[in-house]
């Protein structure tokens, strides 16, 4: 069996980083016909670990993320789209996994460390937030997933999941499947920077181009995009490393030859930012136009979207219950048969 599990936190609409880091890959894998099962999860319970005081935000973005999924071409007849909080089995699994993880191991997770700093949680880390990598291990293993297509920030989560799987299997016998991470081939897609060129594009940092942004918004964001501060006059030689416009061209433009020529011209001097930005805008419009169109179609039928999620959640629950029963059997806590 080849099974995929992956997902997103409903903390905002999905952006270009999600697209190149994970969504584009998911759609490709979905349509490759190579997978027996594909589970795509809206991680609302995980979103609540650092948004407990903002339930409206999480609720509203469950629908937004679902619309983004359908917009990029995830197909509910091929992929199971579901909502994490409605699969109670995941929380039971998490509870048992927590027993094989130490607090110091949780505190060492570099992605979580970084997120704690970004959120200013240093002196008041919600326990649920510190433990979310364990709940992610439950999400992955509950579906016997062996492939997890994600961006680079998820490497420590997958490592932690694999450790938990090995530990559980060591104690209770071969009950869980050990998953592999699948990162995008293209290096720049593993961690797309934000339009400010500083951190990774992230919903929580407000440096995003959203899949649902209209043309004018995208144009305005490209206009303010970070380039090369030393490239003042058009005739000046410019730098392409760290220049977000070129990074995005590397991530989105299929015409690699043209991008290589533009980079060479820019470095030599004589190519202005305005021209490169205009080209990027054309490239992004080509990517975003069909996505916007499909999004609009589904936006007009919210009941249909809710039904897709409901049916997906029912199917996900069935599978998770099977895995949970297997584990509880191995743990000798199946008293009533
Ligand atoms: P938040 O700020 O709430 O954590 P986020 O923007 O980081 O949101 P997530 O829902 O945490 O998004 O991530 C979902 C998936 O998208 C993960 O697989 C993650 O690796 C990937 N991803 C997120 N941002 C990027 C990015 N800038 N480049 C590549 N992949 C990304
Ligand atoms: Mg994140």
């Amino acid at each position: 069996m080849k099974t995929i599990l992956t997902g997103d936190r409903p903390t905002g609409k999905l952006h270009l980083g999600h697209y190149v880091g994970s969504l584009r890959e998911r759609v490709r894998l979905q349509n490759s016909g190579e997978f027996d099962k594909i589970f795509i999860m809206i991680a609302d319970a995980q979103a609540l670990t650092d948004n407990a005081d903002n339930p409206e935000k999480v609720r509203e973005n469950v629908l937004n993320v679902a619309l983004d999924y359908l917009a990029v071409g995830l197909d509910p007849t091929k992929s199971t789209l579901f909502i994490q909080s409605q699969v109670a089995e995941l929380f039971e699994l998490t509870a048992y996994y927590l027993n094989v993880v130490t607090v110091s191991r949780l505190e060492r997770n570099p992605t979580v460390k970084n997120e704690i700093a970004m959120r200013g949680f240093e002196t008041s880390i919600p326990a649920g937030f510190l433990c979310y990598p364990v709940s992610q291990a439950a999400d992955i293993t509950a579906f016997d997933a062996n492939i997890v297509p994600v961006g680079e920030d998820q490497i420590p989560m997958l490592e932690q999941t694999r450790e938990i799987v090995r530990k559980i299997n060591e104690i209770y016998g071969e009950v869980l499947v050990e998953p592999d991470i699948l990162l995008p081939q293209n290096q720049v897609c593993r961690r797309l920077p934000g339009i400010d060129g500083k951190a990774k594009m992230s919903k929580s940092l407000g440096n995003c181009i959203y899949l649902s942004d209209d043309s004018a918004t995208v144009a305005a964001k490209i206009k303010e995009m970070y380039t090369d501060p030393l490239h003042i006059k058009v005739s000046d030689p410019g730098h392409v490393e760290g220049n977000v416009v070129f990074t995005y061209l590397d991530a989105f433009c299929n015409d690699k030859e043209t991008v290589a020529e533009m980079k060479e011209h820019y470095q030599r001097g004589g190519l202005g930012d305005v021209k490169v930005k205009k080209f990027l805008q054309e490239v992004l419009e080509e990517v975003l136009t069909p996505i916007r169109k499909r999004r609009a179609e589904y936006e007009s039928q919210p009941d249909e979207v809710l039904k897709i999620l409901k049916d997906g959640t029912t199917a996900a629950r069935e599978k998770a219950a099977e895995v949970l029963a297997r584990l509880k059997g191995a743990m000798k806590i199946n008293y009533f048969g």
Side-chain angles (χ1 to χ4, degrees), residues 180-309:
D180 282 312
I181 193 168
L182 184 67
L183 295 165
Q185 290 265 317
N186 185 344
Q187 200 71 33
V188 296
C189 296
R190 296 180 175 188
R191 183 185 176 276
L192 196 77
I195 56 170
D196 54 0
K198 286 190 192 121
K200 92 172 174 90
M201 186 177 281
S202 167
K203 295 179 221 108
S204 307
L205 297 176
N207 58 2
C208 305
I209 294 181
Y210 293 98
L211 296 173
S212 47
D213 279 347
D214 60 22
S215 300
T217 308
V218 173
K221 288 181 180 176
I222 292 178
K223 213 168 170 185
E224 64 178 82
M225 214 174 253
Y226 181 82
T227 59
D228 173 10
L230 302 173
H231 185 245
I232 297 159
K233 290 200 294 284
V234 172
S235 57
D236 288 342
H239 293 86
V240 296
E241 306 78 33
N243 184 323
V244 180
V245 183
F246 282 105
T247 307
Y248 287 17
L249 284 177
D250 283 334
F252 289 97
C253 184
N254 295 323
D255 182 357
K256 302 291 172 211
E257 218 170 285
T258 301
V259 176
E261 273 167 28
M262 287 180 99
K263 280 185 180 172
E264 205 266 322
H265 192 177
Y266 193 82
Q267 285 168 313
R268 194 170 70 226
L271 179 60
D273 281 342
V274 175
K275 268 207 181 137
V276 192
K277 287 186 168 183
K278 186 157 180 293
F279 181 59
L280 175 64
Q281 198 183 329
E282 285 164 16
V283 168
L284 289 184
E285 279 305 303
E286 210 175 300
V287 174
L288 292 174
T289 304
I291 295 177
R292 287 187 196 119
K293 192 167 161 268
R294 259 196 307 263
R295 197 177 204 280
E297 278 164 26
Y298 280 106
E299 228 161 357
S300 64
Q301 30 183 338
D303 291 346
E304 173 63 19
V305 178
L306 208 61
K307 181 165 186 314
I308 289 170
L309 294 176

